Amino acid sequence: MRVLCTTIGSPSHGRAQLPLLRALAAAGHQVRVATTEEVAPLFGADALDVMTCMPSFTPQMFMDPELAAGGDEPAPGAAESGPEQQEAAMMRFMVRLLSGPMARKLREVMLPVARDFRPHVILRDGMDLGSVLIAEELGIPQLPTPSGSSNVLDPAQVHAGLNALRAEVGLPAQEDPLSVVAHGRVDYVPASFSFARHLPAPLAYRQTVQVDRDSTLPRWVAELPTDRPLVWAAIGTALPLIQKRKEQGEEQPPEMPFEFPDPVKTLQSIIEAAAKLDECTVVVATSGVPVDTAGLPPHVHLTERLPQPVLLEAVDLFLTHGGFNSIREALRTGTPLAVLPQFGDQPPNARRVEELGLGREITDRTPDGIAAVCREVLADSRIAATASRARLEMLTLPEIEHAVADLERLVGDPA
């Protein structure tokens, strides 16, 4: 069986796919990964055929004048918008981008790759709707891999854009908006703790705690105090990638109807909040983002990065940006969450965390506000109990190796 996988966005997207791709390769199937230069190194240690043919995911890469202006939907400038208005504008932007110029561009890039490789199935990044069209052209199944964008995008909202693209390339229109997941989807979360708002039940497998090969914690972590709560704080991989591009002088996105978060400001607020949590030990991942470290108290420890899935096994609270990858890793280890959402799927994820009783959303983004929510979560025994229940539910799912047989049945005879 030949499996084509597309990966765009930040390295976290590849981390969600890697366990599944490893299982397929170990079973003797041929796996080709089409990704970006930034994400490609993630797959370097595995027996996978990796192509760096995908464009970097930046708004200007896929922007057109109509999209920048918000189309026919006038919106106030970001500076005049409140949080709810900005989130609504951001979701409209995502719908138009992913089902319009971005899908068109990704199809153009990937169609020659697909025709050359002749895959039997496509495992696609949740933001890659171009591969939906390619699968229809080739007459093969496609499934999105675990993805925050798949969770929050309503298929009914992207349906018109995809049908317009189908008309452009000579494909018949689809009547059912769920044609975007016509052959199902892959997830690592049980139905009782699902973050998908508009999609049918998935092929669900257990989230792994071992994504990076031979990942271990440094010795200094084992020497941290154990007589107080341990807090891990991280902002994911997307914001640091944006900061790196900025430092390299990359052109900044054109004006948008929502305000894009500042990674330096966000991380600095987290560090200042950590300093206030003097009853805890707090480890903060900087991910290479420059921050002011002057005057840090001894209970705050900065590190560029640590193997997060491993560390979460011993953490009492995870202060997170709310990316879906991070949330799944916390569910797997039963770790309560304080969510400081930034953009994309993260605000809806933060609300879903509260709905499920897994933690709290941080709405007061000042250091005092962040610290206050952290204390609330640590003091709430109901959240700890719900997080433990989520971990048990996660453990009822089959290991990722079971996905191989499921995909083989989906494809049938690959001859």
Side-chain angles (χ1 to χ4, degrees):
M1 184 168 66
R2 292 185 297 276
V3 181
L4 179 60
C5 176
T6 67
T7 313
I8 50 181
S10 67
S12 63
H13 293 217
R15 290 179 61 84
Q17 298 168 330
L18 195 47
L20 174 56
L21 302 185
R22 282 177 180 157
L24 287 162
H29 296 297
Q30 187 178 355
V31 179
R32 176 170 292 181
V33 181
T35 188
T36 67
E37 290 185 1
E38 295 94 340
V39 180
L42 180 74
F43 302 102
D46 290 272
L48 307 171
D49 177 12
V50 181
M51 299 180 62
T52 55
C53 57
M54 299 287 264
S56 297
F57 178 62
T58 59
Q60 59 266 40
M61 175 62 70
F62 304 101
M63 188 66 72
D64 61 31
E66 181 183 7
L67 189 64
D72 298 326
E73 302 177 22
E80 292 78 30
S81 299
E84 293 183 1
Q85 290 175 305
Q86 288 203 36
E87 184 180 339
M90 178 180 60
M91 293 304 298
R92 289 194 299 269
F93 177 85
M94 287 180 62
V95 165
R96 294 170 62 84
L97 175 70
L98 269 61
S99 64
M102 184 169 167
R104 182 186 294 111
K105 175 70 173 178
L106 293 179
R107 176 189 168 274
E108 291 172 356
V109 170
M110 286 305 304
L111 187 57
V113 175
R115 285 176 172 164
D116 173 68
F117 184 57
R118 296 178 294 115
H120 300 107
V121 62
I122 298 176
L123 299 174
R124 63 175 178 85
D125 190 296
M127 295 195 300
D128 173 19
L129 298 184
S131 285
V132 174
L133 307 183
I134 292 174
E136 292 174 5
E137 292 178 71
L138 299 181
I140 61 174
Q142 56 79 22
L143 300 90
T145 52
S147 162
S149 56
S150 291
N151 288 342
V152 300
L153 286 176
D154 186 345
Q157 293 180 326
V158 300
H159 190 56
L162 287 179
N163 269 342
L165 291 178
R166 289 182 177 109
E168 283 184 20
V169 301
L171 287 169
Q174 298 289 329
E175 294 184 5
D176 186 358
L178 289 178
S179 58
V180 73
V181 287
H183 297 91
R185 64 187 182 92
V186 177
D187 205 350
Y188 302 146
V189 175
S192 53
F193 286 92
S194 177
F195 279 67
R197 289 159 174 76
H198 313 284
L199 299 178
L203 298 172
Y205 311 98
R206 187 184 307 169
Q207 172 73 31
T208 180
V209 295
Q210 193 76 20
V211 177
D212 299 324
R213 291 192 183 277
D214 301 320
S215 57
T216 57
L217 296 173
R219 183 64 201 172
W220 63 263
V221 174
E223 297 170 354
L224 294 172
T226 56
D227 60 346
R228 61 186 67 187
L230 177 59
V231 178
W232 166 243
I235 60 172
T237 56
L239 281 181
L241 188 59
I242 292 166
Q243 177 63 25
K244 181 179 179 181
R245 289 171 178 161
K246 184 186 297 186
E247 292 171 354
Q248 293 173 342
E250 184 173 300
E251 180 183 354
Q252 296 304 296
E255 183 176 352
M256 296 182 187
F258 59 90
E259 186 178 8
F260 210 78
D262 182 340
V264 176
K265 182 178 179 181
T266 297
L267 190 56
Q268 198 66 53
S269 294
I270 288 173
I271 292 172
E272 291 177 20
K276 296 176 180 293
L277 294 170
D278 53 7
E279 72 276 28
C280 301
T281 296
V282 186
V283 181
V284 183
T286 65
S287 300
V289 176
V291 290
D292 181 9
T293 61
L296 282 181
H299 72 275
V300 178
H301 305 263
L302 301 188
T303 180
E304 186 165 336
R305 58 181 51 85
L306 287 176
Q308 179 169 289
V310 178
L311 180 64
L312 285 175
E313 294 191 68
V315 163
D316 299 290
L317 171 68
F318 184 14
L319 170 53
T320 174
H321 65 304
F324 188 47
N325 218 46
S326 291
I327 286 176
R328 291 196 320 273
E329 291 171 352
L331 289 175
R332 175 65 177 82
T333 55
T335 308
L337 295 158
V339 187
L340 182 66
Q342 301 298 302
F343 68 102
D345 62 304
Q346 296 161 22
N349 287 348
R351 291 194 295 274
R352 183 61 174 157
V353 164
E354 285 216 7
E355 290 170 5
L356 291 169
L358 296 165
R360 297 276 189 273
E361 177 183 6
I362 300 169
T363 55
D364 178 354
R365 308 174 76 84
T366 65
D368 283 332
I370 296 170
V373 171
C374 289
R375 290 191 173 103
E376 288 175 13
V377 175
L378 285 168
D380 194 331
S381 60
R382 296 169 300 175
I383 291 176
T386 303
S388 294
R389 173 58 55 191
R391 183 182 187 184
L392 290 174
E393 291 276 1
M394 295 286 270
L395 293 175
T396 68
L397 296 177
E399 293 280 9
I400 191 64
E401 286 75 16
H402 288 259
V404 176
D406 290 337
L407 291 174
E408 289 171 344
R409 282 191 291 269
L410 177 64
V411 168
D413 184 359

